[in-house]
């Protein structure tokens, strides 16, 4: 099994920055093939924010390109999301995700709230 623990959410004014962290632990962390971040705003579906699709290949939602940067520390089984120039529409619960490719299994963190005030 894999447990994902996120941290770093909070309240910030528009234009500000936050850095989210997620660390994977458990017996099966070696089975993780990719890690990334999703978010879910109130009343909306969960959406991809940024993810690694390989050791160095990343993908971003169009709405965050140029503002958010995903990074990963493989030694620490951790993934980070640096969020700059935050906008009120970035307000959501942000979830860490880890994927296991061979059976398409997804692990999820508990979520961390990000609120951007105007």
């Amino acid at each position: 099994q894999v447990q994902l623990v996120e941290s770093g959410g909070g309240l910030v004014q528009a234009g500000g920055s936050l850095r989210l962290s997620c660390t994977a632990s458990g017996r099966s962390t070696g089975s993780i093939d990719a890690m990334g971040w999703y978010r879910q705003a109130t009343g909306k579906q969960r959406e991809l924010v940024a993810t690694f699709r390989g050791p160095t290949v990343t993908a971003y939602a169009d709405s965050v390109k140029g503002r958010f940067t995903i990074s990963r520390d493989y030694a620490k089984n951790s993934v980070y999301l640096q969020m700059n120039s935050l906008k009120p529409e970035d307000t959501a619960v942000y979830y860490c995700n880890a994927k296991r490719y061979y059976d398409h299994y997804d692990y999820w963190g508990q979520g961390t709230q990000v609120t951007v005030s105007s």
Side-chain angles (χ1 to χ4, degrees), residues 8-10 12 18 20 83 86 90-94 112-116:
V12 65
L18 285 173
L20 305 183
M83 305 185 293
L86 282 160
D90 294 318
T91 295
V93 178
Y94 284 69
T112 185
Q113 177 71 45
V114 171
T115 303
V116 184

Side-chain angles (χ1 to χ4, degrees), residues 38-85:
Y38 287 69
R39 69 185 180 187
Q40 188 167 17
T42 302
K44 295 188 177 181
Q45 289 190 331
R46 192 172 297 188
E47 64 176 1
L48 172 70
V49 178
T51 188
F52 279 90
R53 289 183 172 163
T56 58
V57 178
T58 58
Y60 293 89
D62 288 343
S63 59
V64 306
K65 284 180 181 176
R67 300 188 297 122
F68 291 11
T69 303
I70 190 171
S71 60
R72 188 166 173 183
D73 186 332
Y74 286 88
K76 296 181 178 179
N77 286 321
S78 295
V79 65
Y80 309 96
L81 186 67
Q82 178 65 43
M83 305 185 293
N84 298 329
S85 301

